[in-house]
Amino acid sequence: MDRLASRIMLTWGFRRVLLAILVGALAALALPPISFVAILFVSFPVLVWLLDGATGNPDKGFSQGYRTAFLIGWSFGFGYFVAGLWWLGGALLVEADEFAWALPLAVLGLPAVLAIFYGLATLAAKILWSDGVGRIAALAAAFGTAEWLRGFVATGFPWNAIGYGAMPVPLMMQSAQLIGVYGVSALAVFVFAAPALVGTGKGRRIGLTVALTLALAHFGYGIWVLARPDQQTDETLTVRLVQPAVDQARKMENADREEIFSDLLRLTSAPPPEGGAKPNVIVWPETSVPFILTENPDALTRIADALDDGQTLLAGAVRAEDRGAGLPPRYYNSIYIVDDKGQIIGASDKTHLTPFGEYVPFEGVLRGMGVDNLISLPGGFSAGVQRSLLDLPAGGRLYPLICYEVIFPQEMADVSDDAGAILNVTNDAWFGATPGPYQHFQQARVRAVETGLPLIRAANDGISAAVDARGRIISGLKRHAKGAIDTTISLLNVSVQNFSGRQRNFWLIISFLLLVAVVSRLSFISRKN
């Protein structure tokens, strides 16, 4: 191991960049649908040894060492995000004649930007670098902070945080309720990087012992939580998840709108399985209604005919708001509540829009360059002013998250004890048969674990599922499966650990890791002098 570490440390120039890109790309194998977690025990030790080499050459000079550290981290991140997000290009091929030119920007440009966060992480870690376990702590603190920053800088894009690689199954998700995905990310980097101590550096015994203890605590806490009896409440909800499996290209063709709407109604009114209870609530995916519902009274009448007495429809739809004075309408990506009489009795708008999908950032400049939304609406979507909980006529409240809103832990900051479950509607058909929908679904499951609330998820082309408060799938539909599934969940109107509590625990972890890194750095400087 010492020989391997030495060879990696001595790698330089273009070969060092290529090696960093390679191990970053390999790290993406830990993400769904492959979820090969063990690969991270290869990627992060190599990253540590590459940084050892960057900081160990006095001929490089002070500033050169920092530039090299940044380049190593950026290269690692570039490989990781290209391998983990290449599927984003699939959305551009839905209307290839109009958006194919932007394919390199999605497949290479976005990863290049996101990689800056990892470059800054290795740069920050380099400031506190030492020859012992402290450098592992510095790297963990820097990566945890970088993932937190990635969640909100420039509206945020925390997709595929490192912590998700450490949470492929419910047994390994439970720690997120205590420290959130960013806390898991920081500690995961420490555990995955610790084997680098075998190859080089002091503090091997203590570093490996701490890493093993953290890993055992991660598993042990999961075993303990899953072994406890499930919480039962008197308030239950029988839900039908409708998955129409409409190809995105077909979904955008006006000629097929009637057929798509008829399919939704047919799946809605289908009888329950033999012996099954009639669903109280039917859920349609994001923007599933193929026209402006309020401009089509006949559609509401047909919905009323498809619903039985007492049933409620939650439908993903585009909501138009008249602005008057000859101005074009304002459009919202919304969820409607429709009762059994075909009346719209409530709605919730998406508040965190998808850049370039629903709105164009820096619109005045980019639209002048020919950059437009993937979704063709005049002016794109508008963001809702605030999130509105969905009050069901039969009782119970749902916390709505539309599409990729569910990947943001901070979107759950105002979850109250009144919310009995999370509702996530999405349309992942944009990404076809790629890893994207699997990654999206995993992140939605982690939100359920973090908040201690069950998840109701309807997706146009999968993955539609009901998930309990511990991240376990109760029932669901596979990708590309057209149909509907009925399931019963308990609405957990219980006190859940709030977002600020998880944030506090996260910063305690970062502070402790930084303390270890600083002490090690000072000791290292003292020994050198």
Side-chain angles (χ1 to χ4, degrees):
M1 187 71 79
D2 290 345
R3 181 177 298 178
L4 175 61
S6 297
R7 292 186 63 180
I8 292 173
M9 288 171 61
L10 294 174
T11 304
W12 65 284
F14 193 57
R15 293 176 61 186
R16 177 165 54 197
V17 171
L18 286 179
L19 181 57
I21 291 174
L22 174 62
V23 295
L26 289 175
L29 294 175
L31 300 170
I34 298 175
S35 299
F36 181 43
V37 181
I39 194 63
L40 295 175
F41 286 107
V42 175
S43 293
F44 277 97
V46 172
L47 178 61
V48 171
W49 293 331
L50 286 171
L51 291 170
D52 282 338
T55 59
N57 187 348
D59 296 333
K60 291 288 186 181
F62 183 80
S63 62
Q64 180 64 34
Y66 284 115
R67 290 198 296 270
T68 301
F70 175 85
L71 179 60
I72 290 171
W74 182 90
S75 301
F76 180 92
F78 183 70
Y80 179 72
F81 290 117
V82 169
L85 294 173
W86 61 267
W87 48 267
L88 283 171
L92 301 174
L93 298 179
V94 173
E95 293 186 299
D97 56 336
E98 187 173 353
F99 293 107
W101 65 269
L103 196 61
L105 296 178
V107 177
L108 300 176
L110 178 61
V113 172
L114 294 176
I116 293 173
F117 289 95
Y118 287 5
L120 293 174
T122 52
L123 173 60
K126 196 266 182 184
I127 297 173
L128 297 176
W129 209 251
S130 62
D131 61 349
V133 67
R135 73 197 202 279
I136 307 299
L139 190 68
F143 260 85
T145 305
E147 295 293 27
W148 173 77
L149 286 169
R150 199 156 63 86
F152 68 85
V153 172
T155 78
F157 190 68
W159 198 285
N160 288 348
I162 293 295
Y164 290 115
M167 298 187 286
V169 294
L171 176 67
M172 301 168 70
M173 292 179 182
Q174 305 311 309
S175 301
Q177 188 174 29
L178 299 177
I179 58 178
V181 66
Y182 302 136
V184 173
S185 295
L187 295 181
V189 170
F190 187 97
V191 172
F192 293 133
L197 295 168
V198 176
T200 182
K202 298 181 180 181
R204 299 181 187 184
R205 181 174 298 179
I206 188 172
L208 293 174
T209 299
V210 171
L212 180 60
T213 301
L214 288 173
L216 291 176
H218 184 58
F219 280 98
Y221 184 70
I223 292 171
W224 178 72
V225 170
L226 296 183
R228 291 185 299 175
D230 293 339
Q231 183 166 7
Q232 300 295 329
T233 65
D234 294 333
E235 193 171 17
T236 61
L237 197 66
T238 301
V239 181
R240 170 167 295 181
L241 304 175
V242 174
Q243 183 169 292
V246 181
D247 179 82
Q248 187 59 34
R250 177 170 169 257
K251 192 172 186 289
M252 298 175 72
E253 294 175 2
N254 294 339
D256 289 339
R257 291 185 178 186
E258 172 56 33
E259 184 180 347
I260 290 170
F261 190 62
S262 295
D263 274 348
L264 288 167
L265 295 174
R266 178 180 57 81
L267 294 169
T268 296
S269 60
E274 186 175 352
K278 182 180 71 173
N280 311 111
V281 173
I282 292 89
V283 183
W284 291 0
E286 177 191 18
T287 59
S288 54
V289 179
F291 37 72
I292 304 299
L293 191 56
T294 52
E295 296 177 358
N296 197 326
D298 179 62
L300 289 168
T301 300
R302 294 170 67 186
I303 289 174
D305 292 340
L307 297 176
D308 286 341
D309 291 342
Q311 287 186 322
T312 302
L313 172 66
L314 303 178
V318 176
R319 184 175 74 85
E321 183 179 89
D322 186 15
R323 300 169 65 190
L327 295 172
R330 183 176 283 121
Y331 295 101
Y332 297 89
N333 190 348
S334 304
I335 301 173
Y336 278 127
I337 307 176
V338 184
D339 67 11
D340 55 5
K341 298 179 178 60
Q343 302 175 110
I344 297 174
I345 58 174
S348 180
D349 300 325
K350 188 176 183 180
T351 61
H352 199 145
L353 301 181
T354 307
F356 301 106
E358 295 169 318
Y359 79 102
V360 177
F362 312 110
E363 183 175 8
V365 175
L366 293 181
R367 283 196 185 275
M369 298 168 60
V371 177
D372 203 350
N373 291 318
L374 289 177
I375 300 173
S376 299
L377 284 173
F381 281 106
S382 297
V385 176
Q386 64 179 18
R387 195 178 315 281
S388 302
L389 269 65
L390 299 176
D391 290 294
L392 303 177
R397 307 184 83 187
L398 303 180
Y399 191 91
L401 294 168
I402 299 176
C403 191
Y404 100 138
E405 285 185 318
V406 81
I407 75 171
F408 294 91
Q410 63 267 33
E411 293 296 333
M412 308 300 295
D414 56 350
V415 168
S416 68
D417 295 348
D418 292 331
I422 300 168
L423 174 67
N424 178 219
V425 297
T426 187
N427 175 23
D428 290 351
W430 283 101
F431 309 116
T434 70
Y438 296 95
Q439 295 171 6
H440 197 187
F441 179 53
Q442 185 209 23
Q443 293 172 76
R445 293 171 71 183
V446 172
R447 293 294 85 73
V449 175
E450 284 179 338
T451 58
L453 293 173
L455 168 72
I456 302 166
R457 189 173 197 264
N460 171 34
D461 197 23
I463 302 168
S464 299
V467 176
D468 72 10
R470 295 170 184 174
R472 295 171 296 197
I473 299 174
I474 301 170
S475 58
L477 293 162
K478 294 181 179 180
R479 292 291 320 284
H480 312 311
K482 182 176 183 176
I485 189 167
D486 296 349
T487 189
T488 299
I489 65 167
S490 294
L491 296 178
L492 300 182
N493 294 320
V494 297
S495 178
V496 296
Q497 185 186 28
N498 59 29
F499 176 74
S500 61
R502 290 189 296 277
Q503 282 287 88
R504 180 184 63 249
N505 293 341
F506 164 69
W507 287 116
L508 286 174
I509 290 170
I510 297 299
S511 298
F512 181 76
L513 290 170
L514 286 175
L515 177 63
V516 173
V518 169
V519 171
S520 298
R521 176 63 178 173
L522 293 175
S523 176
F524 174 68
I525 293 173
S526 177
R527 290 197 308 272
K528 287 182 66 177
N529 294 335

